[in-house]
């Protein structure tokens, strides 16, 4: 089917060529599957992706907003995925530019940025010192809290840290950020001490292994860090 072939071109060729992270590609895949399911149920099994119209996409947006009660962020994510998907099909010469259904799509209202609550210094200190005891996991959790607070790196960036990325002599870590871009982040004294305490409690590891480990000695995932925080 053309749907499957185009999805493969977009997700397995176009997106990796752009250097997109697996988590971003997974989000695109979920959005496209959601649109494909809606098209199959509302437009029929035989409607191919090159037969989708601007009206169809607007009907899909209406469905998301009215029937699924999706907010602006979720809708913008869906629409952005369709924009990227159809533009890539034009670039890959699977679709003529004039037949791109997103060409005349009106701009969807951008979501308002939320002002998030922040922790006071006292609250931050209570959070960092909340892991109790001198167990390896307790020391690890305190190191994670201290690192996140002291550097502002993302949970996923924390999870992806390798032993070789952490240099406590130069007081820096090498972080792999969005789009596969690397950056070097300096560490303050509190972070260095917390990481050093954890490294001693954890023991030596090969340079290519994850710096933060779980109880089962596997690398801590983004979900693990979220759960611990």
């Amino acid at each position: 089917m053309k749907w499957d072939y185009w999805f493969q071109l977009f997700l397995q060729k176009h997106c990796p060529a752009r250097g997109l992270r697996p988590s971003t590609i997974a989000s695109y895949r979920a959005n496209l599957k959601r649109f494909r399911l809606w098209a199959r149920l509302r437009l029929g099994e035989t409607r191919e992706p090159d037969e989708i119209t601007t009206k169809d996409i607007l009907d899909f947006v209406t469905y998301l907003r009215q029937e699924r009660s999706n907010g602006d962020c979720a809708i913008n994510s869906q629409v952005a995925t369709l924009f990227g998907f159809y533009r890539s099909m034009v670039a890959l010469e699977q679709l003529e530019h004039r037949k791109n259904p997103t060409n005349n799509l009106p701009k969807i209202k951008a979501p308002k940025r939320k002002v998030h609550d922040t922790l006071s210094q006292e609250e931050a200190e209570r959070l960092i010192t909340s892991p109790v005891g001198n167990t390896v996991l307790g020391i690890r959790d305190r190191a994670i809290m201290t690192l996140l607070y002291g550097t502002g790196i993302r949970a996923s960036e924390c999870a992806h840290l390798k032993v070789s990325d952490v240099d406590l002599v130069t007081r820096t870590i090498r972080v792999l950020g969005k789009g596969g871009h690397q950056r070097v982040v300096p560490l303050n004294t509190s972070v260095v001490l917390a990481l050093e305490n954890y490294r001693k409690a954890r023991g030596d590891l090969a340079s290519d292994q994850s710096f933060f480990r779980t109880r089962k000695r596997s690398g801590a995932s983004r979900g693990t860090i979220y759960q611990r925080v």
Side-chain angles (χ1 to χ4, degrees), residues 22 24 31 46 55-56 139 148 151 157 202 207 217 222:
T24 301
N31 286 343
T46 60
K55 180 181 180 302
D56 293 331
I139 297 172
L148 293 176
T151 63
E157 294 171 342
R202 180 205 64 200
S207 62
R217 304 293 292 172
R222 175 176 176 269

Side-chain angles (χ1 to χ4, degrees), residues 1 3 7 32-40 45:
M1 292 179 62
W3 283 102
F7 282 5
L32 289 174
K33 285 185 176 181
R34 191 173 295 111
F35 179 70
R36 171 68 185 106
L37 177 61
W38 175 87
R40 180 170 62 82
E45 291 280 357

Side-chain angles (χ1 to χ4, degrees), residues 134-147:
N134 293 321
T135 65
V136 175
L137 292 183
I139 297 172
R140 179 205 65 184
D141 289 348
R142 183 170 296 188
I144 289 174
M145 302 285 188
T146 306
L147 176 63

Side-chain angles (χ1 to χ4, degrees), residues 33-226:
K33 285 185 176 181
R34 191 173 295 111
F35 179 70
R36 171 68 185 106
L37 177 61
W38 175 87
R40 180 170 62 82
L41 296 175
R42 298 296 178 95
L43 306 176
E45 291 280 357
T46 60
R47 182 73 73 91
E48 295 289 358
D50 55 349
E51 297 173 331
I52 295 296
T53 66
T54 302
K55 180 181 180 302
D56 293 331
I57 296 178
L58 289 175
D59 288 342
F60 177 59
V61 170
T62 300
Y63 157 78
L64 293 176
R65 193 179 297 281
Q66 295 183 357
E67 298 185 38
R68 300 289 299 177
S69 298
N70 283 179
D72 289 335
C73 287
I75 291 174
N76 272 273
S77 174
Q78 286 281 169
V79 172
T81 298
L82 292 175
F83 265 113
F85 172 66
Y86 277 105
R87 280 200 302 266
S88 73
M89 291 304 104
V90 173
L92 294 171
E93 300 182 348
Q94 300 296 314
L95 182 69
E96 294 181 34
H97 174 73
R98 64 183 180 86
K99 293 184 177 181
N100 183 346
T102 66
N103 284 340
N104 300 315
L105 194 66
K107 188 175 181 180
I108 305 298
K109 179 183 177 182
K112 294 181 180 180
R113 291 187 177 274
K114 296 181 179 179
V115 179
H116 297 285
D117 291 334
T118 58
L119 299 180
S120 66
Q121 182 175 348
E122 180 184 354
E123 289 171 331
E125 290 174 354
R126 285 167 50 199
L127 176 64
I128 292 172
T129 58
S130 61
V132 296
N134 293 321
T135 65
V136 175
L137 292 183
I139 297 172
R140 179 205 65 184
D141 289 348
R142 183 170 296 188
I144 289 174
M145 302 285 188
T146 306
L147 176 63
L148 293 176
Y149 182 66
T151 63
I153 65 173
R154 301 177 179 88
S156 58
E157 294 171 342
C158 180
H160 290 148
L161 283 176
K162 303 296 184 183
V163 172
S164 59
D165 294 327
V166 180
D167 190 336
L168 299 183
V169 176
T170 62
R171 296 189 166 200
T172 59
I173 55 173
R174 185 171 61 246
V175 174
L176 183 64
K178 285 188 174 182
H181 300 296
Q182 284 192 344
R183 68 184 190 278
V184 175
V185 179
L187 306 176
N188 62 35
T189 301
S190 297
V191 177
V192 171
L193 290 176
L195 295 178
E196 180 63 31
N197 287 339
Y198 171 62
R199 185 169 66 176
K200 290 179 179 178
R202 180 205 64 200
D204 293 333
L205 294 171
S207 62
D208 62 344
Q209 290 189 288
S210 297
F211 185 84
F212 292 108
R213 316 294 292 180
T214 66
R215 190 187 304 272
K216 296 181 179 179
R217 304 293 292 172
S218 60
S221 67
R222 175 176 176 269
T224 298
I225 292 175
Y226 261 96

